[in-house]
Amino acid sequence: MAASSSAAVKNYDIFLSFRGEDTRNSFTDHLYKKLMDAEINTFRDNEGINIGEELNTKISRAIKESKGSIVVLSPNYATSTWCLDELWLILQQRRDCGHFVIPIFYHVDPFDVRKQNKAFNIQVKVSSRWTQENVNKWKAALTEVADLKGSDILGSMFYD
């Protein structure tokens, strides 16, 4: 029997969403290693994208081809339109396809994410990406992900 045309092939167990400048060379590297050591096929941007490939297409496809996502919400996560777009697509996959989502609140308070306080207080800016429409959908995504059961991490959970 042929698979439904709307069902994406699941090439990854986990899509790892994170703000590189906050966690790439620390927490996220350790998390990624632990997941891969446990034979959990994990996509992260610096491992899954070849030089010269279009990032947006590759990321979108990887999210859709993953069974679930781990979203590492760190202090600068909401300053990146890239991260916020990833989060929006991840949550859309959750609603439409049963994609599971695990938020990790890395050095941030889940309350600040939910209520868009401090670094999560995103606003319209003079930029083509920071439009009222985008800011509204990103705020809704931050509220939705903060309402999911997650973990508060101080940064030492995955260190040996």
Side-chain angles (χ1 to χ4, degrees):
M1 179 179 212
S4 167
S5 61
S6 65
V9 174
K10 302 299 181 193
N11 292 322
Y12 302 100
D13 297 311
I14 297 291
F15 177 88
L16 194 53
S17 178
F18 61 97
R19 180 74 164 128
E21 69 184 49
D22 286 350
T23 66
R24 181 182 311 278
N25 296 314
S26 58
F27 177 78
T28 300
D29 277 349
H30 294 283
L31 174 59
Y32 178 77
K33 182 181 181 327
K34 293 292 185 180
L35 291 166
M36 294 302 285
D37 287 350
E39 298 183 5
I40 298 170
N41 189 18
T42 304
F43 180 95
R44 70 173 178 178
D45 67 356
N46 57 335
E47 293 296 325
I49 297 174
N50 297 319
I51 294 174
E53 278 190 284
E54 186 177 317
L55 195 60
N56 193 18
T57 301
K58 182 77 173 186
I59 294 290
S60 296
R61 186 170 58 237
I63 291 169
K64 292 175 183 174
E65 292 177 356
S66 297
K67 295 174 187 172
S69 292
I70 296 175
V71 180
V72 181
L73 296 148
S74 59
N76 292 303
Y77 189 90
T79 65
S80 167
T81 60
W82 195 260
C83 289
L84 294 167
D85 280 342
E86 279 181 14
L87 179 61
W88 177 254
L89 181 57
I90 287 166
L91 293 170
Q92 183 179 43
Q93 288 298 111
R94 179 179 181 267
R95 289 185 296 274
D96 297 345
C97 305
H99 185 98
F100 69 89
V101 179
I102 301 170
I104 296 178
F105 302 94
Y106 182 78
H107 295 288
V108 299
D109 187 329
F111 180 83
D112 290 334
V113 178
R114 184 178 301 107
K115 298 298 183 184
Q116 284 92 54
N117 293 328
K118 299 180 183 174
F120 291 88
N121 182 13
I122 59 176
Q123 299 177 19
V124 176
K125 299 177 185 173
V126 181
S127 165
S128 62
R129 297 287 300 127
W130 291 91
T131 64
Q132 188 65 55
E133 181 181 349
N134 282 341
V135 168
N136 288 344
K137 80 176 187 178
W138 295 333
K139 284 182 175 190
L142 289 169
T143 300
E144 184 177 343
V145 76
D147 285 341
L148 298 176
K149 182 163 176 60
S151 294
D152 296 337
I153 303 295
L154 298 176
S156 61
M157 179 180 172
F158 292 95
Y159 293 93
D160 291 326

